């Protein structure tokens, strides 16, 4: 992750120390959704760095209904925020509602929070549209002295958003997912490396990559890693990456037609002769 600017890190640390007691007191009073929205707006401004008046919008209207909050950056809708009462346990149905709102607006990111738990989802515009949990923060368990905890908060703050920290984190998380790794293991380039190593160990045994693939699929890799939308998307991503790499390699190869001919060696002025060199010298 990119280094966090000192002033941003100091703000995040100060925000943790300030709002953890506020959240604890609000949960003890079991405040409702309206009061929780007020606390969340203050946190978005004082901890995460968004301008409360210019960048945060309350009760954002979407097709006759409303999302609790929205963030606009440079006049563009960046994310939708669904807030629940602080004492309410967040459930999948709550995230689905927020994701439906985002899908209607073509927004990639959704935040679901009750003030204490902050769940950041990436909207996947597939059929059907689904959500992918990217960050799950329990604000009360974060340690102001922990560098990794501060880095986690930075993903959602304004400065992190502007530097694509959340998108980069999501890309890294995808690359290390079981679906992506499963698809990578079963790709031809990796299977070719395995085949080469097997032949090195057993030089007298003939093995092809399809035999290796069959064993991996049937006996090694879990079926759930190879099937479903996430597995399909991982295979497509690897295939696109391989095709892009091949095109890049091909574009770097010299074009035979445009290659310049080599400069011919200078021709001696003497006439050719069939005599060997020593005879020529004595002639």
């Amino acid at each position: 992750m990119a280094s966090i600017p000192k002033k941003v890190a100091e703000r995040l640390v100060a925000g943790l120390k300030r709002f953890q007691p506020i959240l604890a007191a609000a949960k003890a009073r079991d405040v409702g959704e309206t009061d929780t929205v007020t606390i969340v707006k203050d946190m978005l401004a004082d901890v995460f760095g968004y301008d409360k008046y210019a960048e945060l919008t309350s009760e954002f209207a979407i097709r006759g209904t409303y999302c609790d909050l929205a963030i606009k950056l440079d006049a563009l809708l960046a994310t939708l925020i669904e807030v629940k009462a602080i004492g309410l346990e967040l459930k999948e149905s709550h995230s689905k509602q927020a994701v439906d709102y985002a899908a209607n607006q073509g927004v990639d990111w959704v935040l679901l929070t009750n003030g204490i738990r902050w769940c950041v989802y990436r909207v996947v515009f597939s059929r059907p549209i689904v959500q992918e949990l990217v960050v799950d923060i329990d604000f009360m368990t974060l340690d102001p002295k922990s560098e990794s905890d501060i880095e986690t908060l930075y993903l959602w703050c304004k400065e992190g958003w502007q530097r694509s920290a959340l998108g980069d984190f999501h890309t890294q998380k995808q690359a290390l997912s079981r679906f992506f790794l499963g698809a990578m293991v079963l790709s031809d380039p990796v299977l070719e490396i395995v085949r080469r190593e097997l032949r090195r160990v057993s030089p007298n045994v003939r093995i092809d990559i399809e035999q290796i693939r069959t064993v991996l699929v049937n006996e090694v890799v879990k079926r759930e890693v190879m099937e479903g939308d996430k597995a399909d998307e991982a295979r497509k991503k690897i295939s696109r990456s391989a095709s892009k790499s091949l095109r890049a390699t091909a574009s770097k190869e010299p074009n035979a037609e445009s290659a310049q001919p080599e400069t011919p060696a200078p021709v001696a002025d003497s006439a050719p002769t069939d005599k060997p060199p020593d005879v020529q010298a004595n002639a």
Side-chain angles (χ1 to χ4, degrees), residues 13 133 158 166 182 242 258:
V13 169
L133 181 61
K158 178 180 177 180
L166 185 59
S258 60

Side-chain angles (χ1 to χ4, degrees), residues 222-240:
K222 291 184 178 181
R223 184 172 297 276
E224 64 188 58
V225 175
M226 300 180 296
E227 298 179 351
D229 293 339
K230 290 185 178 180
D232 291 341
E233 179 58 31
R235 282 191 290 270
K236 290 177 183 176
K237 188 170 184 178
I238 291 173
S239 178
R240 289 195 297 266

Side-chain angles (χ1 to χ4, degrees), residues 56-77:
L56 297 181
T57 303
S58 300
E59 294 290 323
F60 189 79
I62 304 171
R63 293 190 176 182
T65 186
Y66 292 90
C67 189
D68 295 309
L69 295 169
I71 295 176
K72 285 187 173 183
L73 297 176
D74 298 325
L76 298 176
L77 186 62

Side-chain angles (χ1 to χ4, degrees), residues 99-148:
V99 169
D100 287 343
Y101 291 159
N104 287 329
Q105 294 294 308
V107 176
D108 292 328
W109 296 97
V110 160
L111 170 66
L112 173 65
T113 183
N114 58 7
I116 293 177
R117 187 180 176 196
W118 296 64
C119 300
V120 182
Y121 293 90
R122 177 66 183 259
V123 181
V124 181
F125 290 89
S126 57
R127 293 186 179 180
I129 291 175
V130 296
Q131 71 272 14
E132 180 182 353
L133 181 61
V134 179
V135 180
D136 191 346
I137 301 171
D138 184 337
F139 199 86
M140 297 300 292
T141 65
L142 297 179
D143 182 356
K145 297 180 181 179
S146 170
E147 184 177 339
S148 62

